[in-house]
Amino acid sequence: DSGVTQTPKHLITATGQRVTLRCSPRSGDLSVYWYQQSLDQGLQFLIHYYNGEERAKGNILERFSAQQFPDLHSELNLSSLELGDSALYFCASSTHRDSGTAFFGQGTRLTVV
Amino acid sequence: TQLLEQSPQFLSIQEGENLTVYCNSSSVFSSLQWYRQEPGEGPVLLVTVVTGGEVKKLKRLTFQFGDARKDSSLHITAAQPGDTGLYLCAGPLYNTDKLIFGTGTRLQVFP
């Protein structure tokens, strides 16, 4: 158990809909990273928050947004969903802002039908 | 353009064989990490290397960080079926607050 909790574990929704994925980082970790992993693909960096502040953006679509709340949990919002958005979405947390040592949640498997 | 390229992409070997996975970049990293991911699970951190030329051993796994801190390798001795999985290198991209991952090496070890 990494200490990072993601909910829900599975999500099936229709095209055009909006969903929210939730991540609770390890206790004491200030950094939260979000990644997208499509079938048999690597991890694509989406966005990084540190202590409530957005620190870096990757190839994140404009339809996607995220935030980190004062209690340090984070949410990833995906809207106007398309079939191609079907993927595993992972969050990871880290103690520091610029460390590569991160702990991953179990992921949310999103299926858009 | 992938900033961290791994090779080989796929590796299928028999139990007991040795193997090496490479992670290369044209960028300098302050540190590099290796993770292992099983199907449907999140990646799990194996090791962090920080100093150029550093070698770390974790049982049958040996990790090396290149002198110029642009590349790393993972060597597995006497592979076992339990080593099967997706191996990912990763690193914080200098001055960007991005933690990026390599393209991945999918290892299958047959008994």
Side-chain angles (χ1 to χ4, degrees):
Chain A
D1 182 6
S2 67
V4 178
T5 304
Q6 285 188 250
T7 56
K9 194 165 174 58
H10 299 278
L11 199 48
I12 301 175
T13 190
T15 54
Q17 295 298 304
R18 173 189 169 95
V19 296
T20 297
L21 313 184
R22 183 186 167 100
C23 171
S24 294
R26 289 189 322 158
S27 177
D29 283 356
L30 300 178
S31 271
V32 170
Y33 300 87
W34 284 98
Y35 293 87
Q36 180 192 57
Q37 188 175 40
S38 301
L39 192 64
D40 288 337
Q41 300 286 314
L43 286 160
Q44 297 301 315
F45 170 76
L46 294 178
I47 199 163
H48 172 205
Y49 278 86
Y50 179 78
N51 202 20
E53 184 182 329
E54 182 187 301
R55 297 299 306 183
K57 267 187 174 179
N59 296 325
I60 186 167
L61 299 171
E62 284 193 18
R63 301 183 285 109
F64 295 2
S65 65
Q67 56 185 132
Q68 186 179 29
F69 295 87
D71 67 352
L72 300 177
H73 92 271
S74 178
E75 293 181 356
L76 179 67
N77 301 294
L78 315 177
S79 62
S80 302
L81 285 167
E82 302 175 359
L83 296 178
D85 297 327
S86 296
L88 267 168
Y89 290 84
F90 287 103
C91 84
S93 75
S94 179
T95 307
H96 303 295
R97 178 178 57 81
D98 56 357
S99 168
T101 302
F103 296 86
F104 280 77
Q106 295 283 312
T108 293
R109 182 175 292 282
L110 173 67
T111 303
V112 183
V113 297
Chain B
T1 305
Q2 283 286 353
L3 291 169
L4 281 171
E5 292 279 353
Q6 287 184 238
S7 61
Q9 192 177 355
F10 299 97
L11 201 48
S12 185
I13 61 173
Q14 291 292 128
E15 183 176 1
E17 292 184 23
N18 301 333
L19 66 114
T20 302
V21 177
Y22 299 94
C23 173
N24 293 293
S25 178
S26 57
S27 302
V28 174
F29 285 82
S30 58
S31 67
L32 276 181
Q33 288 71 39
W34 284 92
Y35 290 79
R36 181 166 151 247
Q37 185 181 20
E38 308 233 13
E41 303 285 326
V44 175
L45 179 69
L46 296 174
V47 78
T48 293
V49 285
V50 178
T51 306
E54 181 178 3
V55 176
K56 277 193 175 177
K57 290 196 174 187
L58 189 66
K59 296 183 182 177
R60 293 175 295 99
L61 278 59
T62 301
F63 305 87
Q64 185 159 8
F65 200 11
D67 291 341
R69 292 186 288 128
K70 291 184 178 181
D71 56 87
S72 181
S73 64
L74 157 60
H75 182 80
I76 301 180
T77 303
Q80 299 177 359
D83 296 326
T84 293
L86 178 66
Y87 289 82
L88 296 156
C89 65
L93 194 57
Y94 178 72
N95 217 27
T96 68
D97 285 346
K98 293 181 182 180
L99 175 56
I100 63 167
F101 279 75
T103 48
T105 294
R106 193 166 296 280
L107 172 65
Q108 176 96 49
V109 182
F110 291 98

